[in-house]
């Protein structure tokens, strides 16, 4: 099992940056289920459909560094109860003989667009819940908003160019920059 390093890194709180129409109905939906121990995870997975247990689940790390889970295809902003998060993405579990371990984890969340190098909050949450994990995002994503056309992009192969308008993308995280009211 991976354990946290003795030092603490600065943690970024990611605001919701996705479409407003997704955020609107969250007050009527239940936030993600908190996982603070292997027993919590086993109990929550037992309530999921058996075929769904092989697919990734939606996760967020809330502001108190707690892992919250929701079924796949759930919106991250709903899982977070509408609040900012320390991280978000998709997570897959596999049996490890005595319980469950994290087999795959990504920061794939277009609602929060978390940076891949901020795994420390994820590590803290998984360590606190005593869940074995890879110690990094197994599938990292880099998100950038195009400053010319305002579209979100996934950067692939370090190619920082907008897939929509072919303009260069910033190398620094900018997902919380408001979209231009009049894209070029």
């Amino acid at each position: 099992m991976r354990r946290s390093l003795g030092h603490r890194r600065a943690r970024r709180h990611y605001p919701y940056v996705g479409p407003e129409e997704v955020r609107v109905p969250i007050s009527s939906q239940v936030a993600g289920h908190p996982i603070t121990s292997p027993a919590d995870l086993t109990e929550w997975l037992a309530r999921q459909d058996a075929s769904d247990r092989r697919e990734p689940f939606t996760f967020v790390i809330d502001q108190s560094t707690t892992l919250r889970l929701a079924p796949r295809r759930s919106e991250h902003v709903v899982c977070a109860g509408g609040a900012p998060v320390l991280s978000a993405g998709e997570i897959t579990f596999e049996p490890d003989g005595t319980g469950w371990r994290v087999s795959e984890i990504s920061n794939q969340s277009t609602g929060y667009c978390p940076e891949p190098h901020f795994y420390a909050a994820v590590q803290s949450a998984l360590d606190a819940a005593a869940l074995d994990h890879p110690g990094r995002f197994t599938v990292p994503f880099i998100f950038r908003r195009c400053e010319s056309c305002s579209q979100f992009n996934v950067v692939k192969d370090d190619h920082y160019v907008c897939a929509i308008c072919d303009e260069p993308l910033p190398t620094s995280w900018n997902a919380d920059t408001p979209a231009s009211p009049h894209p070029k």
Side-chain angles (χ1 to χ4, degrees):
M1 176 175 304
R2 305 262 182 198
R3 289 290 169 199
S4 297
L5 303 173
H7 64 282
R8 287 172 100 45
R9 291 184 188 172
R11 291 194 176 138
R12 178 186 290 260
H13 291 250
Y14 292 95
Y16 177 70
V17 297
E20 195 56 35
E21 60 271 12
V22 172
R23 183 197 314 248
V24 172
I26 64 169
S27 61
S28 64
Q29 299 181 35
V30 178
H33 187 79
I35 304 296
T36 59
S37 70
D40 286 347
L41 179 60
T42 298
E43 179 183 308
W44 187 80
L45 287 171
R47 291 193 310 258
Q48 306 308 305
D49 187 73
S51 63
D52 290 341
R53 286 186 223 139
R54 291 183 218 110
E55 291 191 23
F57 294 103
T58 296
F59 85 87
V60 299
I61 306 300
D62 68 19
Q63 294 180 77
S64 67
T65 318
T66 299
L67 171 66
R68 291 185 169 275
L69 296 177
R72 186 172 194 187
R73 297 173 191 77
S74 299
E75 294 292 342
H76 288 97
V77 69
V78 174
C79 188
V85 299
L86 299 175
S87 194
E90 293 186 345
I91 190 168
T92 305
F93 300 98
E94 67 183 12
D96 72 356
T98 59
W100 297 90
R101 67 176 298 281
V102 177
S103 58
E104 298 282 330
I105 187 165
S106 78
N107 61 319
Q108 184 177 354
S109 167
T110 57
Y112 287 101
C113 301
E115 295 172 280
H117 60 271
F118 279 96
Y119 188 80
V122 177
Q123 181 170 329
S124 292
L126 295 172
D127 287 349
L131 298 174
D132 190 21
H133 59 90
R136 61 178 168 68
F137 288 117
T138 55
V139 182
F141 287 82
I142 298 172
F143 300 96
R144 295 293 184 267
R145 183 188 296 271
C146 179
E147 293 175 339
S148 294
C149 71
S150 298
Q151 294 298 309
F152 278 114
N153 285 260
V154 173
V155 175
K156 297 177 183 174
D157 300 322
D158 288 329
H159 188 67
Y160 286 79
V161 175
C162 180
I164 305 300
C165 71
D166 233 13
E167 290 293 318
L169 295 171
T171 56
S172 298
W173 188 81
N174 70 338
D176 60 348
T177 304
S180 301
H182 305 289
K184 295 177 188 174

